[in-house]
Structures are given as structure tokens and as C-alpha cells.
Amino acid sequence: MNRLPRLRVLHGLLLLLLLLLLLLVMVDAAMAQPFGLNRGTAPSEVGGFAGWILAKQAEFYRMLSGLIRAAKADGSAAYTLLGISFLYGVFHAAGPGHGKAVISSYLVANNETWRRGIVLSFASAILQAFSAIAIVGVVAALLGATAKVMGDTVRVIEIVSYALILLIGLRLLWVKGRALLQAVGLKERAHAHDHAHEHGHGHHHHHDHDASAWSHGHAPEPSELAGVHWLRRGLTAIVAVGLRPCSGAIIVLVFALAQGLFWIGVASTFVMGLGTAITVAAIATLAVGARELAGRLAKAKPGAGVIILRGLETAAALVIVLFGAALLTGYLASERLMGV
Amino acid sequence: MNVLLRILFVSLLVLAAGSLAQAHPHVWVTMQTELVYAPDGTITGIRHAWSFDDMFSTFATQGLESKEKGKFTRDELAPLAKVNVESLKEFGYFTFATADGKKMELTDPAPGFWLDYKDQVLTLNFLLPFKKPVKAKELKVEIYDPSIFVDFAFAKDKPVQLAGAPKCKLDVVLPREMTFAEGKALSQIPAEEKNTTMAWGAQFASKILVHCP
């Protein structure tokens, strides 16, 4: 008879751990530096898996210039270039930036499915490739402007992109935060009632949220956020994340342009975007999986479970707000085009 | 369900560990550094020669006017050098020095900094004077970007030199440029194994130690 409560405690602990990990990943994933606080101390040692990712992406990136040069003399080098561009994209996206955190948090907050997560990841990565190509194509190739002009253009785009992230976060926080308060309020009210009523009310309440927590066709309260128009709604997220081009892609494109191989640079950028999309989609899928698991665990805990889920969604929305604010104020540098 | 749970946990753990890498270099700098001493043995400044990688060099010179295509003179690069030096200020010139454990303040670069362009590589030359030149038994200079956007590595040839400090001893110079072979070796270390033989992080903190009597 002792087993049941113990199991429940275990489940609770697991749920808590899962949420903590999820938050950690979301917060950390896009940070170039932990809120810029480590200025003045040497970066700590990076070993093992992280060091490996780091070494790989640096290695691939540094191979790109040689391959673009080689492609000039020998067309078949272009295939190698595309292969390496793809790998670079995959590994590069594992670092900060590229909207992993925003997309993951968005999916968690909105309780989207993994399929939608993959669509959002790919759409934003492709938009990012387009954005880099458009900037280099127009500013550098057509207008012949300097790197400084390109840098300034990126900065303007950046501000729009970060402001959008902040807006998305605020909107989500408003809706999800209210849902959380409502869930808390409902539970308290249920407690205040007499036993019979509490039972009835509590049961009804539980059932209601049961549906809304992990099915997508439901109607009221945060329904607006997980309903039919998810793609249109997701469009803001796609634009917010995809508008800002990757500095690496811009540098590669300019380099290819200087070698008279702009189109090879364009192809490389798209393949890079594809690689990026795969990594971002994988991470987004993990986040959605964790969210769903948390949902299933929470299902076992009627009243508190709903509050925990709403809490998680609110936290995810808060993460987006913090990101947007930190990026917008320059507190957090996702990437920078230094010195030009 | 339990299997699923375990898979999720492991993936999240790996992710959490992996994403802490925070690495993103887009600019590679190969540097030569000279520590400048006055005749009385005080350290007065640090002279840097930073060569950018070819992709960034091409990017930075994009659209710049030059008389001869593909070549830039010092004069033609002067405006870019000014922008470079000015924007480096925000990052403390990525140069962090201590004298006998005390932090040394640097001033803005002395006038006369310049960029040159050779073999499609831009090199930024500038001298960072110390605010208060001091005599130091132990001088430590580190050059790195805390956000790892710029990757600094010493040149294989003449990485660090002492100018006018005959009695001082250059003790430690860390690290060198990582070769592709080393990168490959690093990549072959299994992910779950703690990498102790090749301290990758040391690649970021290029450290100079000078001991004077």
C-alpha cells in the first residue's frame, strides 16, 4: 500500500527535474555568453561533447574558404563545398543563436506538435538563408557598398527581429500568465467549497484542462494560441527568428562574390540553412517531447498538474520575453559583425 | 514510457551540456605581440599585429575603393583601420593584463595604427599603451574574446617578443594555432569522455607570462 504514494512522489520529482532541464536548455541554447557577465575572466575549459561540436564547426568553417577557391579552378570542388556547408550548418546551429531557444520556447508555450515544430524550424532557417542572400546580393553585389553598410543593414534588421521576439513573448506571457492565474484561482476556489461541491467542481475542472493541455482542437481560454491558425500565428515567430541572417553566411557569400562565384555562395548558404534547420528541428522536437511528457506526468496529478503545465507555459513565454529584451538592449549578443 | 523517459532525459542532458559550449567564432585572428619596455624597465605598452582570416579579410574590404584591383594601400585602408580600432574599444581590445596580480588599465591605441593587406590577409597593427607604466615582477597578458566570437591564436612565427627588457624572461606562451590534425584528434575523443589531454579551452585564452628580476 506504500507503493502508490512513493510512486507519486517519484513522479513529482521526475516532473520537476524534467521542467528544470527543459528550462535550462531553453535559456541556455541561444546564449553567446551568459548575459555577458563573464567579461574579464577567461572562458572556462570546454571539453568533451561541447568541445567537439566547437572544434567541428570551426574546422568546417575554415575549410569553406579553401573550397570556394578550389571551386573556381575545379567545378567538382563545388560538391565538396556543398557537403561541408551542410555539415557546418548542422554543427553551427548547435551553438548559440539561430533561434533554437525562441522556437523551442514558443513551441512549449503554445503546446504545438512536433510536426509544427519541424515546419517552423525549416521555415525560419530558409528565411534566414534568403535574408543573407538578399543583403549580400543587394548591398554588396548590386550597390557595391562596403562591409560597414552591410553591418549597418544587419543591425537594423536585428532590431526589428529582436523587437518581434519581445512582442511575441509579451503576448504569450499575457495569455499564458492569465491562464495560470485562472488555474490557480480555480483550485483555490475549489478548496474553499464544501466537500461535495469541491469534488464535483474539481472533477469538472480537471476534465476541462485535461483536454486543453494536450489536444489541439479545443476551444476556450488559451485556445486562441493552439488552434487552427497556427501557421499564420507561427509566421510571426518564423519572421522574428529568420529575419536576422547568420554572420557566417554573410561572410561566406561576400567571399564567394569576391571570387566571382556568387551563385556557389548562394547554393552553399541554402545548404547551410538546411543543416541548421535539421539541428533546430531536432532540438525543437526534444522540447516538444519533453513538454508532452510533462503533460502526461501532470495528467496523473489532477489539480496541481494543470497549474504546473500552465506554469511551464508561462515560464516558456517568460524565456522569450527575456531573450527579446536581452537581445534588444544589447545585453546579450547573439552574434556580431565586429569592427566594420 | 520508462524507456521514452530515459531517452528524453539523456538527450536533454546532452543538449544542456552541449549548448553550454557557447561557441561561435566567425573571425580568426593570428597574432604577433610585442611587449614594450622603457629603458628603466617599466612596461609601457603592448604592440599587436593581428592578422584576420582570409574570409573575414575579404568581407571587411568589400566595396572599398582601391587604385589597383585586389590590392589596398595603407592609405586606402586608413578609414577601415579607424573603424576597427574604434569598435575594439568596446571590447577592451580583447587584451587583459595584470602586473603582480593587479589589473592594468590600457588607454586607447596610440596614433599611428594601420592596416595592411598582403596575400589577401588584413593585418591590424596597433600599440596599446598602459595608463600607468609599472615595473612588474610578474606580468600576465591574456588576449581573448569572452564570447568567443573572435578566435585568437598566436602565430607560429615570433608569437611574442620582448622589446627592451633584456633581464626579463618570457615564461609561458599558450597556446598555438590548432592544426587540422589536432582538430581531428580532438574530434575522435568520445563524447562522454572528459577531455584531459587536449585542453580545448586553453585555445581561447592566449596567455603571456613575463618574469623580471
Side-chain angles (χ1 to χ4, degrees):
Chain A
M1 286 302 105
N2 228 350
R3 278 187 62 196
L4 209 66
R6 214 196 288 165
L7 203 70
R8 216 181 262 173
V9 171
L10 199 73
H11 256 191
L13 274 176
L14 268 179
L15 186 60
L16 208 72
L17 249 173
L18 198 66
L19 297 187
L20 270 175
L21 267 176
L22 188 61
L23 273 179
L24 180 68
V25 169
M26 286 192 303
V27 169
D28 186 74
M31 287 206 178
Q33 55 205 94
F35 286 103
L37 290 178
N38 61 355
R39 168 88 18 107
T41 49
S44 57
E45 212 173 274
V46 186
F49 182 70
W52 179 73
I53 288 202
L54 188 63
K56 273 292 157 199
Q57 75 120 16
E59 187 185 329
F60 292 140
Y61 184 78
R62 302 219 62 183
M63 282 167 83
L64 292 176
S65 69
L67 284 167
I68 292 174
R69 283 220 173 96
K72 204 173 173 181
D74 169 18
S76 68
Y79 294 107
T80 321
L81 174 68
L82 293 185
I84 294 298
S85 303
F86 175 74
L87 289 175
Y88 172 69
V90 169
F91 279 85
H92 179 66
H98 293 283
K100 285 183 306 295
V102 172
I103 291 209
S104 301
S105 309
Y106 177 85
L107 294 171
V108 168
N110 263 343
N111 194 17
E112 299 280 20
T113 61
W114 62 271
R115 277 196 195 88
R116 292 174 182 183
I118 287 173
V119 171
L120 289 188
S121 306
F122 273 81
S124 61
I126 295 305
L127 179 62
Q128 208 168 30
F130 267 114
S131 172
I133 291 162
I135 288 171
V136 176
V138 174
V139 179
L142 287 182
L143 303 177
T146 59
K148 188 176 180 345
V149 178
M150 257 182 290
D152 293 344
T153 313
V154 170
R155 261 172 287 251
V156 171
I157 293 175
E158 225 169 46
I159 290 171
V160 175
S161 157
Y162 297 160
L164 268 175
I165 291 176
L166 182 61
L167 281 177
I168 291 174
L170 284 175
R171 197 182 124 76
L172 273 173
L173 188 63
W174 168 247
V175 177
K176 294 301 176 182
R178 269 197 321 182
L180 173 67
L181 290 179
Q182 205 181 3
V184 173
L186 274 177
K187 195 176 180 233
E188 270 168 10
R189 228 181 303 152
H191 272 289
H193 286 298
D194 68 299
H195 185 260
H197 192 103
E198 187 202 325
H199 181 78
H201 187 96
H203 180 79
H204 175 72
H205 163 79
H206 169 213
H207 185 77
D208 226 355
H209 281 272
D210 216 32
S212 67
W214 42 89
S215 80
H216 296 278
H218 60 88
E221 41 110 27
S223 67
E224 183 199 345
L225 284 156
V228 242
H229 302 300
W230 71 272
L231 194 59
R232 197 190 301 160
R233 185 181 60 235
L235 204 61
T236 343
I238 292 169
V239 171
V241 171
L243 210 54
R244 196 228 180 277
C246 162
S247 309
I250 289 190
I251 293 174
V252 168
L253 276 165
V254 171
F255 187 74
L257 177 70
Q259 308 297 318
L261 296 167
F262 186 60
W263 292 107
I264 291 210
V266 169
S268 159
T269 303
F270 272 119
V271 177
M272 230 184 258
L274 205 65
T276 305
I278 288 175
T279 304
V280 176
I283 291 169
T285 307
L286 266 178
V288 170
R291 164 69 171 82
E292 264 166 24
L293 193 65
R296 230 178 294 169
L297 289 174
K299 204 173 179 179
K301 302 176 155 295
V306 175
I307 292 176
I308 289 174
L309 277 186
R310 293 284 167 271
L312 176 64
E313 287 168 1
T314 310
L318 194 65
V319 166
I320 301 178
V321 171
L322 289 177
F323 262 131
L327 288 167
L328 199 59
T329 52
Y331 200 42
L332 181 71
S334 168
E335 287 190 321
R336 42 174 211 266
L337 281 174
M338 185 210 71
V340 285
Chain B
M1 163 93 169
N2 263 337
V3 177
L4 185 76
L5 203 84
R6 227 171 284 163
I7 292 171
L8 252 170
F9 260 115
V10 171
S11 327
L12 278 172
L13 272 174
V14 167
L15 255 181
S19 57
L20 286 167
Q22 311 159 350
H24 229 99
H26 281 313
V27 182
W28 273 264
V29 170
T30 309
M31 55 184 174
Q32 290 179 315
T33 300
E34 195 180 65
L35 303 174
V36 185
Y37 287 84
D40 68 345
T42 56
I43 169 97
T44 58
I46 302 169
R47 191 187 299 281
H48 284 308
W50 290 355
S51 295
F52 299 100
D53 65 284
D54 56 351
M55 274 210 275
F56 184 76
S57 298
T58 306
F59 171 75
T61 50
Q62 152 66 31
L64 287 187
E65 305 253 341
S66 69
K67 273 201 194 103
E68 205 177 330
K69 197 175 181 287
K71 283 190 181 164
F72 300 94
T73 64
R74 247 181 228 196
D75 285 345
E76 284 163 346
L77 292 170
L80 183 61
K82 191 163 177 285
V83 174
N84 277 171
V85 163
E86 276 167 4
S87 58
L88 280 170
K89 187 186 168 83
E90 189 190 333
F91 307 104
Y93 305 96
F94 299 122
T95 305
F96 309 90
T98 59
D100 297 324
K102 255 189 264 168
K103 196 171 171 277
M104 303 261 294
E105 302 246 356
L106 293 158
T107 67
D108 292 346
F113 51 81
W114 80 93
L115 267 174
D116 57 36
Y117 187 79
K118 205 181 147 197
D119 299 330
Q120 306 183 28
V121 163
L122 272 179
T123 303
L124 181 65
N125 302 273
F126 61 108
L127 171 71
L128 287 173
F130 284 112
K131 217 172 213 164
K132 289 187 196 122
V134 289
K135 274 187 187 165
K137 278 211 168 73
E138 192 192 82
L139 177 78
K140 187 173 81 173
V141 179
E142 286 176 287
I143 302 142
Y144 60 85
D145 177 2
S147 65
I148 325 184
F149 181 78
V150 185
D151 181 286
F152 288 95
F154 280 119
K156 284 206 169 74
D157 180 38
K158 289 185 193 159
V160 183
Q161 283 180 302
L162 297 180
K167 285 186 203 144
C168 296
K169 195 168 139 256
L170 192 60
D171 259 354
V172 190
V173 178
L174 276 175
R176 313 146 288 131
E177 234 178 314
M178 191 167 79
T179 62
F180 277 131
E182 284 168 330
K184 214 171 165 189
L186 191 70
S187 71
Q188 276 156 3
I189 297 169
E192 60 275 11
E193 204 172 285
K194 188 103 176 85
N195 162 26
T196 46
T197 48
M198 299 181 70
W200 171 256
Q203 298 288 336
F204 300 124
S206 302
K207 197 188 291 180
I208 304 168
L209 280 175
V210 184
H211 291 279
C212 294

